[in-house]
Amino acid sequence: MSTQVGFWNQKYDRSSFIYGRRPNQFLLEVASEAIPAGARVLSLGEGEGRNAVWLARQGYRVTAVDFSKPALEKLERFSAELGVSVDVICSDVVDFDFSDTRWDAVVILHLHLAPEPRRMVHGRVVEALCPGGVVLLEALRPEQMEQPTSGPNSREYLYSVEELRDDFADLEHQTLRSEDRFIKAGEHRGPTSVVSLLARKER
Ligand SMILES: C[S@@+](CC[C@H](N)C(=O)[O-])C[C@H]1O[C@@H](n2cnc3c(N)ncnc32)[C@H](O)[C@@H]1O
C-alpha cells in the first residue's frame, strides 16, 4: 500500500465524516446549470461521498473513484441511507481506465496530485469528456500554506490558476478564478485559498 493510501485510510478510520455530508459549495452553485439533467458524472477522489451522494440525489448517474477503501465503504453506507445509487470504483486515479466511457461531467474536488500525475490525469479527463461535457474542479492554491486551515504541506500538491489554464487549454473556461473563502466542510472550517474551474469541451 502506498504511503498516500495509508494516510487517507487512517484519516477515514472514524465514524464521523471528515469533510461533512454537505456538498462542496462550488459544486452546489454551478452543477444544476452546467450539467444537464440525468447526465453521467465521474467524481475523482470522491472520498466519503458528500458530493457523489448529492449529485445522485439530483438525478445524475454518478461514478465515484477513490483509492481509499474505508472512504468508499462510508460512501456506500451513506448512499444506501439516503436511498440513492452511486457506482464506486476503488482505484488510484492514475491507474483508472478512462477509455471505457465518455462522461458528461468530471468533478475533481480537492484531489491534490503531484505535478506529473496531475497533468496526465487532467489530459485524460479532457479526452474522456463528451462533446459539450464539463470539468468542474476546485483545489487549494499555494497561498493555502499561509492559512490556519489544513491542506497539503508541500507546494507541489497545490494548484495555481496558470497550471489549470494550461492543463485545460483545449476547453472553454467558463469560470477560472482564485479566491480566499471561509469554508465550512466537516472538520475543515476557516479561511481557505482555493482555485475554481468550470470548463466545457467544444460540442
Ligand atoms: C481532500 S480529500 C477530498 C475528498 C472529496 N473530494 C471532498 O471534497 O470531500 C482527497 C481525496 O482524494 C483521494 N485521493 C488522493 N489521491 C488519490 C489518487 N491518486 N487516486 C485516488 N484517490 C485519491 C483521497 O483518498 C481523498 O478521499
Side-chain angles (χ1 to χ4, degrees), residues 162-180:
E162 293 72 27
E163 285 159 349
L164 294 183
R165 188 177 290 127
D166 285 354
D167 290 359
F168 296 103
D170 291 342
L171 305 183
E172 180 207 336
H173 299 165
Q174 299 186 330
T175 303
L176 178 54
R177 63 166 186 244
S178 63
E179 62 180 334
D180 292 345

Side-chain angles (χ1 to χ4, degrees), residues 41-135:
V41 181
L42 174 68
S43 174
L44 298 178
E46 169 56 42
E48 299 152 307
R50 66 187 182 119
N51 300 312
V53 167
W54 180 81
L55 284 160
R57 293 189 83 192
Q58 308 313 300
Y60 297 116
R61 291 170 289 159
V62 187
T63 299
V65 179
D66 201 291
F67 61 17
S68 168
K69 201 158 172 267
L72 295 177
E73 285 167 358
K74 280 165 110 173
L75 186 164
E76 285 182 315
R77 285 195 294 274
F78 185 22
S79 57
E81 191 185 312
L82 294 185
V84 290
S85 151
V86 173
D87 285 338
V88 159
I89 299 174
C90 189
S91 167
D92 193 311
V93 293
V94 168
D95 302 323
F96 180 66
D97 182 2
F98 285 89
S99 66
D100 272 0
T101 313
R102 288 286 166 264
W103 302 94
D104 301 300
V106 180
V107 169
I108 311 173
L109 296 166
H110 296 267
L111 167 68
H112 291 277
L113 301 172
E116 202 184 317
R118 186 203 80 223
R119 278 190 292 269
M120 187 187 78
V121 168
H122 289 175
R124 288 180 183 167
V125 165
V126 171
E127 278 176 33
L129 285 176
C130 297
V134 295
V135 175

